[in-house]
Amino acid sequence: TDALDFREKAPLNAKEDMYWDKEGNPITDLSLYGQLAAGVPGTVDGMVKAHEKYGKLSWKELLQPAIDLAEKGFPITKQQASELTNKHEDFEKYNKVANALISRSTWSQGDLLIQKDLANTLKLVQQKGRNGFYSGKTADLIVNEMKRGNGIITKKDLKNYHSVWRKPVSGAYKDYNVISMPPPSSGGIALVSLFQSIEKYPLKKWGFQSDSTIQVMVEAERRVYADRAEHLGDPDFFKVPQKQLLDKTYNVNRMNNFSFDRATPSSAVKAGEIIGKESMETTHYVIVDKDGNAASVTTTLNGSYGSLVVVGGAGFLLNNEMDDFSVKPGTPNMYGLVGGKANAIQPQKRMLSSMTPSILEKDGKLFMVVGTPGGSTIITSVFQTILNVVDFGMTMQEAVAASRFHHQWLPDQVDYEPKAISENVRETLRKKGYNLKERNAYGRVDGILVNPNGTYQGGADPRGDDKIEGY
Ligand code: DON
């Protein structure tokens, strides 16, 4: 197993106070929209590195289908049509050069989205590999785009960007070996910590979304996200106490002050003491090939359509990943997540992520491949999907479709989808001091599960346009 970190980086000219006003207060939306919200892109280098190490087809062959889709267009889905229509005004605000996304103001299902600039960019990447993006014409276009706003990405930033192979995080849950993403994502450490925190409780006996099951999961989530805020950041810049955070006794002990009688208020939960501490539009897809090799990939611009800026003439959107840094200690980001020193902005640092592309093994053999978009809710959605299969006996499709709930320490509330948690159970939990809040459906979990006879079953989240394909 291997983990490829192709996370964006803060530009060389980034500063800790780059999103603050003169009084030191964060300026609304500055880390979210426009050229200054973009981190140095990592996707292209990531795909090149993945291909170098594991690719079987030629790079040229691999790029061709994407070029054809961009050049000839593809019919958009109903969801895509409504997103593009709703975002039209925002796109106009942040883009001075014409591009495919602003080519019309209203879109309908089945309209062809033709992206000529993007096709040309992809052709350069097809011909020149990473140099087709990080230098030459595409790099010029990115730097020119920066000048149209107050962006700071330079040629040097692009040239310096390299993705990194890292060692995956892994840990046991029951008979399963959970393998997931290491820092700079918080996903893998948080997921394994959640499993360690809940393993001793008989969730299976209590049942899916029963009051006790929800209490135990929420209390574990509250504690794990408190640790996320304090102890997790880019390991190249901040010493992440990974060993302790993945220590089973540590996580089991974190649950010691939980009582079934009452919710623990988040104000009473702090990040765990680290012993010897030094004085911190997402897509997911899962694939299993005919030889049983598995890939679980999460890739993201962060918010929908990222910074909303399309690089003029190059046809692709810039991310707004800079908002994943803790812009100021204690100030929530777009997902309500807080953080401190571990995830403060520093030049060349990677912003903390929640991405949790995961693979489970049972008896050393592939069991499940799973992941999702959803910002801060990614970790808890992956956590629930695995429990749905392992403890609640669901099929892969049932597990991804099942309604979900979420707690992330701060704000101190349990978010739940409209159909999650029965009325009765909600009442019981409210009496115990849980603050419950209904929210719209979130996440698009996709998974592949290996059947006992070695065949596969897929799960595609009905919340999105997700699809299963097989041979
Ligand atoms: O890396 C992260 O945690 C976020 N940038 C992920 C954003 C995301 O999942 C948005 N999709 N709904």
Side-chain angles (χ1 to χ4, degrees):
T1 53
D2 228 340
L4 180 57
D5 162 12
F6 54 99
R7 183 64 160 168
E8 299 77 12
K9 279 183 157 192
L12 282 158
N13 291 327
K15 296 197 178 57
E16 185 163 1
D17 59 359
M18 64 190 275
Y19 301 119
W20 305 358
D21 64 16
K22 287 204 185 84
E23 278 80 53
N25 298 315
I27 301 169
T28 313
D29 289 351
L30 204 56
S31 61
L32 278 175
Y33 308 116
Q35 289 79 352
L36 194 60
V40 184
T43 308
V44 176
D45 191 75
M47 295 301 113
V48 170
K49 279 250 189 20
H51 177 255
E52 274 169 10
K53 192 157 178 187
Y54 292 108
K56 289 202 177 140
L57 303 179
S58 72
W59 181 245
K60 207 169 163 243
E61 276 173 280
L62 269 183
L63 270 280
Q64 198 54 47
I67 293 170
D68 293 342
L69 286 170
E71 197 153 51
K72 296 177 196 141
F74 61 89
I76 60 175
T77 65
K78 197 167 159 208
Q79 277 198 22
Q80 286 165 337
S82 82
E83 283 169 7
L84 288 176
T85 305
N86 293 339
K87 282 261 187 292
H88 184 73
E89 267 180 39
D90 289 337
F91 283 142
E92 288 217 304
K93 184 167 161 195
Y94 290 103
N95 290 279
K96 298 199 175 105
V97 178
N99 64 61
L101 301 184
I102 50 172
S103 60
R104 49 206 292 181
S105 54
T106 53
W107 295 81
S108 314
Q109 177 175 7
D111 283 348
L112 273 192
L113 179 62
I114 297 172
Q115 304 173 87
K116 294 270 191 230
D117 289 340
L118 180 61
N120 290 334
T121 302
L122 290 171
K123 281 181 196 163
L124 286 173
V125 173
Q126 185 185 41
Q127 287 154 17
K128 300 182 177 167
R130 65 160 272 137
N131 289 339
F133 186 88
Y134 294 94
S135 55
K137 184 175 169 205
T138 312
D140 288 343
L141 290 172
I142 293 174
V143 172
N144 288 344
E145 186 58 52
M146 290 295 127
K147 290 180 191 142
R148 287 186 201 109
N150 45 4
I152 55 174
I153 297 176
T154 59
K155 292 254 179 77
K156 192 163 173 204
D157 279 313
L158 295 167
K159 203 167 142 240
N160 279 358
Y161 184 88
H162 290 283
S163 52
V164 191
W165 288 107
R166 299 193 191 268
K167 190 170 175 287
V169 161
S170 64
Y173 176 61
K174 298 191 169 169
D175 298 335
Y176 304 87
N177 183 27
V178 179
I179 303 158
S180 193
M181 196 67 199
S185 187
S186 57
I189 290 182
L191 183 65
V192 171
S193 304
L194 286 169
F195 281 121
Q196 290 182 346
S197 308
I198 62 133
E199 189 167 4
K200 70 170 183 185
Y201 299 96
L203 303 197
K204 186 173 177 171
K205 194 176 113 208
W206 292 336
F208 174 71
Q209 294 189 359
S210 72
D211 52 352
S212 301
T213 298
I214 293 172
Q215 269 194 284
V216 163
M217 288 168 66
V218 163
E219 294 299 341
E221 289 171 7
R222 185 199 305 283
R223 286 158 178 81
V224 165
Y225 276 76
D227 275 347
R228 179 193 192 278
E230 178 80 15
H231 298 310
L232 295 180
D234 183 350
D236 292 347
F237 284 77
F238 183 85
K239 196 159 177 289
V240 173
Q242 180 158 331
K243 198 156 164 246
Q244 178 169 335
L245 295 175
L246 292 173
D247 182 85
K248 182 139 186 215
T249 315
Y250 169 78
N251 285 308
V252 168
N253 287 341
R254 293 273 290 154
M255 293 295 276
N256 281 349
N257 63 348
F258 148 63
S259 143
F260 282 99
D261 300 337
R262 281 205 77 68
T264 319
S266 283
S267 53
V269 172
K270 298 280 167 284
E273 282 288 321
I274 299 301
I275 297 149
K277 183 187 160 200
E278 286 177 17
S279 326
M280 186 218 124
E281 172 71 4
T282 311
T283 302
H284 187 87
Y285 51 94
V286 290
I287 299 170
V288 179
D289 75 4
K290 65 178 179 355
D291 301 317
N293 297 301
S296 185
V297 182
T298 316
T299 177
T300 181
L301 296 175
N302 194 22
S304 289
Y305 303 91
S307 63
L308 304 178
V309 176
V310 175
V311 172
F316 57 88
L317 284 156
L318 288 172
N319 64 80
N320 60 345
E321 296 290 1
M322 292 296 285
D323 189 65
D324 272 353
F325 278 118
S326 170
V327 163
K328 192 158 188 220
T331 300
N333 75 353
M334 71 180 289
Y335 303 107
L337 292 167
V338 291
K341 195 167 186 321
N343 190 32
I345 301 176
Q346 282 176 266
Q348 296 286 285
K349 190 174 174 182
R350 289 180 162 94
M351 50 300 271
L352 184 63
S353 171
S354 299
M355 291 185 270
T356 314
S358 302
I359 296 175
L360 265 76
E361 290 176 331
K362 191 179 184 190
D363 304 325
K365 290 216 177 83
L366 180 66
F367 178 72
M368 190 194 294
V369 198
V370 63
T372 184
S376 60
T377 63
I378 291 176
I379 299 166
T380 58
S381 294
V382 171
F383 176 48
Q384 288 168 83
T385 305
I386 296 172
L387 287 177
N388 288 348
V389 171
V390 169
D391 287 84
F392 304 121
M394 295 185 198
T395 63
M396 195 73 247
Q397 183 56 36
E398 287 165 348
V400 305
S403 57
R404 297 189 273 263
F405 58 89
H406 170 78
H407 195 293
Q408 59 178 44
W409 180 46
L410 294 176
D412 186 351
Q413 69 193 31
V414 182
D415 293 333
Y416 66 95
E417 292 186 323
K419 293 211 176 93
I421 317 182
S422 71
E423 196 73 53
N424 281 347
V425 171
R426 268 183 244 150
E427 210 32 56
T428 310
L429 293 171
R430 279 206 183 93
K431 284 201 189 110
K432 292 185 175 186
Y434 290 91
N435 177 17
L436 280 93
K437 203 166 164 217
E438 185 175 315
R439 66 176 275 179
N440 290 339
Y442 59 86
R444 292 175 171 202
V445 183
D446 293 328
I448 298 172
L449 188 65
V450 183
N451 295 318
N453 69 1
T455 59
Y456 301 109
Q457 52 171 297
D461 201 323
R463 293 165 184 80
D465 303 318
D466 307 32
K467 255 194 182 168
I468 307 166
E469 286 195 5
Y471 51 85

